[in-house]
Amino acid sequence: SQAEPAAKRRGVELVAELPAEPVRQRHDEQRVGQVLSNLVGNALKFTPAGGRVAISLKAVRDGADLRVSDTGVGIDSAELPHVFDRFYRGSRAMEQRAGGSGLGLAIVRSIVEMHGGRVTVTSKLGKGTEVTVHLPREVTQSSPAGGRG
């Protein structure tokens, strides 16, 4: 709901695909909220008017998967290995946006790893990008204490 005004301004359809039952998962609510905010913000930045950004949450056997996909400009396959590097801004970033520090996805990776999870990205130029965050059911030693679920 926080991203809806930005999506409307940009002319991008924003869709949430959520399960009927709540997904119970231990996590640091504020930090995982930051992950979602960063991923949706990026998807909106790189999706032109008339495009679509979809957010989905799904319980899986060993935890939960959160996906943010878009029909945006996509990421060149040569750049994919670098998108989580601090301060990295791909060549399409310069064409599509004026600002940005190149820290958003590095922060996403750091938070996800603090939760013992993993983040992956797939993309095709001109077709869009999908980022998947997997959070394991069991809290690991490196996970934040006092997480909520």
Side-chain angles (χ1 to χ4, degrees):
S1 63
Q2 290 176 347
E4 283 181 17
K8 283 183 180 171
R9 276 194 310 276
R10 295 187 58 85
V12 173
E13 178 186 15
L14 183 61
V15 179
E17 301 163 355
L18 303 173
E21 296 296 316
V23 175
R24 303 275 181 217
Q25 183 73 30
R26 288 185 54 94
H27 66 282
D28 180 314
E29 188 175 330
Q30 186 173 1
R31 296 217 187 245
V32 172
Q34 187 177 5
V35 165
L36 182 59
S37 178
N38 282 352
L39 294 178
V40 172
N42 277 352
L44 289 172
K45 279 182 197 175
F46 295 106
T47 301
R52 181 176 195 257
V53 171
I55 304 152
S56 68
L57 176 65
K58 181 176 169 183
V60 294
R61 184 181 53 81
D62 62 337
D65 285 348
L66 171 68
R67 276 196 182 90
V68 177
S69 60
D70 65 59
T71 58
V73 298
I75 303 167
D76 187 286
S77 60
E79 294 182 6
L80 277 175
H82 306 288
V83 297
F84 294 105
D85 295 347
R86 288 178 53 184
F87 306 114
Y88 183 77
R89 292 180 59 194
S91 60
R92 301 295 258 175
M94 300 305 254
E95 298 170 21
Q96 294 293 321
R97 65 179 178 177
S101 63
L103 287 173
L105 289 178
I107 291 168
V108 164
R109 180 177 62 185
S110 176
I111 292 170
V112 170
E113 288 177 353
M114 270 189 342
H115 283 79
R118 66 184 179 277
V119 59
T120 57
V121 61
T122 58
S123 188
K124 290 195 186 240
L125 279 177
K127 300 286 184 189
T129 301
E130 179 175 277
V131 179
T132 302
V133 171
H134 174 76
L135 297 175
R137 185 169 313 285
E138 297 300 320
V139 177
T140 64
Q141 288 290 358
S142 64
S143 297
R148 297 185 193 134

